[in-house]
């Protein structure tokens, strides 16, 4: 099947370009090339601003591997298919979709296994900011602009591989379900899929940003009896209680390590701890806050180059330490089901959204994120 309608034209539109690390984003006019074989061009309607976007811009070389610049960030989004390239069979112009940084080809050993969601289709290229043919589809001022994790949702249009797009129901509000492209799915799945939190269990969630609140929500859906939220920003506690936290504690209120406080409060430690910050010290605290004999600690916070150290004895005493990527969801297959859960009131999304901004104010979204004043800012791409 040949490419559809407009797919052979270059689209000129606005995008927030990161020209170099450590500098604010610039709103530029960019050219978005037509989709090639097995690619889909998407009109991005809404994007969440995730802490990982901030880290790649401002912490490159600290806890993050270097990504090439110039770069269009953004990886948590929802939009509408504008056109499809040759050999694309599952999408048509007008479909509502969520682009995904984690592919699902449905054919490899990993996609066929119930044990993992780690499909590696186009993986190396997407990590390097390019698509299958080794180039990106976005250019600005005559030079190639790299696509963050193969997505680049801080652009009014983007092109992604067809194995990294979830087609969703037509009545889904894109300015809400965009959050399922990263943060909410990651935290919720950390509890449900990776932790397999059980009914009547005790849980502690470290970090009450979007991922942490989604983890709290997952523990609540799993009917945990006690859910302790841990954060150094007490402004997040009220929100955490809305999502299901039974207690909230601030490490700064105590003179001893927070893991000791959690162990004391629970008479020996929690059954499940979920780390949603991405800090090795907090990962260690989360691990040590679990009960010996059967405690499980799930790491959902993101860091790429840092190392955590744990006491081997604490592991030998029967604890489990595990990591999760995108909450264990098989992206293309599972995200539409999460959208259905939201539409059927089984999953909260609206409550995560604290600000809505147009694309021209994207740097303000980063400021809000860093100050801890917002949980998720949703940026509207088409009205700016």
């Amino acid at each position: 099947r040949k490419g559809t309608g407009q797919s052979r034209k270059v689209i000129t539109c606005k995008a927030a370009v990161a020209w170099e690390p450590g500098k604010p984003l610039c709103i530029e006019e960019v050219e978005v090339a037509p989709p090639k074989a097995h690619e889909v061009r998407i009109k991005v309607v809404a994007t969440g601003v995730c802490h990982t976007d901030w880290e790649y811009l401002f912490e490159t070389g600290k806890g993050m591997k270097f990504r090439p610049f110039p770069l269009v960030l953004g990886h948590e989004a929802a939009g509408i298919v504008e056109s499809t390239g040759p050999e694309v069979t599952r999408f048509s112009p007008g479909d509502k979709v969520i682009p995904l940084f984690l592919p699902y080809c449905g054919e490899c050993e990993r996609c066929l296994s119930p044990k993992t969601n780690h499909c590696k289709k186009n993986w190396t290229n997407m990590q390097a900011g390019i698509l299958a043919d080794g180039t990106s589809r976005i250019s600005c001022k005559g030079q190639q602009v790299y696509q963050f994790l193969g997505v680049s949702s801080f652009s009014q249009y983007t092109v992604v591989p067809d194995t990294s797009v979830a087609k969703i129901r037509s009545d889904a509000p894109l300015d809400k379900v965009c959050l399922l492209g990263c943060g909410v799915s990651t935290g919720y799945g950390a509890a449900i899929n990776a932790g397999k939190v059980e009914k009547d269990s005790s849980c502690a969630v470290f970090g009450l940003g979007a991922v942490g609140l989604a983890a709290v929500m997952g523990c609540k859906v799993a009917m945990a009896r006690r859910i302790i939220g841990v954060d150094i920003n007490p402004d997040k506690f009220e929100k955490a209680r809305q999502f299901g936290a039974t207690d909230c504690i601030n490490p700064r209120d105590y003179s001893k390590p927070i893991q000791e406080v959690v162990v004391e409060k629970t008479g020996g430690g929690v059954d499940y701890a979920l780390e949603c910050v991405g800090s090795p010290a907090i990962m260690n605290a989360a691990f040590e806050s679990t009960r010996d004999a059967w405690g499980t600690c799930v790491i959902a916070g993101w860091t790429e180059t840092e190392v955590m150290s744990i006491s081997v004895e604490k592991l030998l005493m029967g604890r489990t330490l595990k990591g999760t990527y995108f909450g264990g969801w098989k992206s293309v297959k599972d995200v539409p089901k999460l959208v259905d859960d939201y539409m059927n009131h089984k999953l909260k999304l609206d409550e995560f959204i604290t600000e809505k901004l147009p694309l021209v104010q994207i740097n303000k979204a980063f400021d809000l994120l860093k100050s801890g004043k917002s949980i998720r800012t949703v940026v509207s791409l088409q009205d700016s």
Side-chain angles (χ1 to χ4, degrees):
R1 167 177 137 163
K2 290 282 184 282
T4 48
Q6 297 301 305
S7 69
R8 286 172 291 284
K9 291 188 180 153
V10 170
I11 290 179
T12 301
C13 65
K14 295 267 191 296
V17 178
W19 288 104
E20 54 183 305
K23 297 277 167 64
L25 303 179
C26 298
I27 304 298
E28 306 280 7
E29 205 159 77
V30 297
E31 288 80 44
V32 180
K36 296 188 180 179
H38 292 291
E39 291 176 359
V40 178
R41 186 159 59 183
I42 298 168
K43 176 184 182 179
V44 182
V45 173
T47 182
V49 177
C50 175
H51 198 258
T52 312
D53 296 311
W54 184 91
E55 287 183 294
Y56 280 109
L57 189 57
F58 295 108
E59 306 235 306
T60 292
K62 291 182 192 166
M64 296 293 149
K65 292 174 186 162
F66 183 75
R67 290 288 196 288
F69 286 77
L71 179 67
V72 171
L73 289 160
H75 63 286
E76 181 181 88
I80 297 164
V81 173
E82 176 271 336
S83 60
T84 58
E87 295 166 60
V88 172
T89 53
R90 291 178 301 123
F91 302 96
S92 310
D95 286 349
K96 282 191 176 179
V97 291
I98 294 179
L100 298 157
F101 59 87
L102 176 66
Y104 173 82
C105 72
E107 293 167 358
C108 67
E109 172 183 50
R110 295 177 177 207
C111 284
L112 297 174
S113 165
K115 293 180 178 176
T116 184
N117 61 336
H118 288 231
C119 175
K120 286 287 199 254
K121 181 85 174 176
N122 298 322
W123 178 263
T124 308
N125 278 12
M126 284 171 76
Q127 294 296 309
I130 48 182
L131 299 186
D133 69 341
T135 64
S136 106
R137 300 288 162 270
I138 303 175
S139 55
C140 181
K141 298 180 181 172
Q143 70 180 101
Q144 171 165 283
V145 177
Y146 291 93
Q147 290 183 229
F148 185 52
L149 301 179
V151 178
S152 286
S153 57
F154 295 172
S155 174
Q156 291 179 317
Y157 287 84
T158 188
V159 176
V160 294
D162 62 359
T163 45
S164 298
V165 186
K167 181 176 168 178
I168 60 170
R169 57 199 278 174
S170 61
D171 58 347
L174 298 177
D175 60 343
K176 307 284 198 306
V177 298
C178 59
L179 300 188
L180 293 169
C182 178
V184 174
S185 298
T186 297
Y188 185 60
I192 300 282
N193 299 328
K196 296 186 169 48
V197 170
E198 293 169 312
K199 185 173 186 276
D200 294 328
S201 61
S202 58
C203 304
V205 176
F206 289 74
L208 298 172
V211 176
L213 291 173
V216 168
M217 175 170 70
C219 294
K220 167 104 170 146
V221 166
M223 302 201 300
R225 178 180 46 83
R226 190 165 183 193
I227 304 166
I228 301 169
V230 183
D231 202 294
I232 54 172
N233 179 355
D235 297 346
K236 303 222 163 138
F237 292 170
E238 191 188 333
K239 200 79 161 175
R241 289 192 179 95
Q242 281 174 31
F243 279 97
T246 54
D247 331 31
C248 292
I249 54 179
N250 181 347
R252 290 182 175 163
D253 292 344
Y254 300 89
S255 54
K256 57 179 145 191
I258 194 64
Q259 53 266 50
E260 290 178 24
V261 176
V262 173
V263 168
E264 223 165 78
K265 279 186 177 294
T266 53
V270 289
D271 301 312
Y272 300 95
L274 299 119
E275 196 278 350
C276 302
V277 179
S279 150
I282 299 170
M283 291 172 188
N284 198 36
F287 179 68
E288 293 192 352
S289 72
T290 61
R291 189 171 290 270
D292 73 2
W294 65 67
T296 295
C297 176
V298 178
I299 308 294
W302 190 249
T303 179
E304 288 178 331
T305 57
E306 295 181 278
V307 175
M308 71 177 284
S309 65
I310 56 165
S311 149
V312 176
E313 187 198 7
K314 285 189 160 51
L315 197 60
L316 292 173
M317 286 296 110
R319 292 177 180 83
T320 301
L321 175 67
K322 62 197 302 195
T324 182
Y325 189 67
F326 195 56
W329 304 108
K330 287 187 181 277
S331 58
V332 170
K333 200 168 85 166
D334 288 336
V335 165
K337 297 176 196 165
L338 292 172
V339 171
D340 289 344
D341 284 348
Y342 165 70
M343 299 300 282
N344 297 326
H345 309 290
K346 289 181 188 165
L347 190 70
K348 291 180 162 78
L349 288 179
D350 305 48
E351 293 80 355
F352 288 92
I353 301 166
T354 39
E355 308 278 339
K356 292 197 168 184
L357 294 173
L359 180 61
V360 291
Q361 291 185 32
I362 188 111
N363 289 309
K364 184 185 174 190
F366 274 151
D367 294 342
L368 287 164
L369 184 75
K370 202 52 211 152
S371 67
K373 288 188 173 68
S374 79
I375 294 165
R376 265 300 184 266
T377 298
V378 171
V379 173
S380 158
L381 273 291
Q382 301 298 331
D383 63 358
S384 53

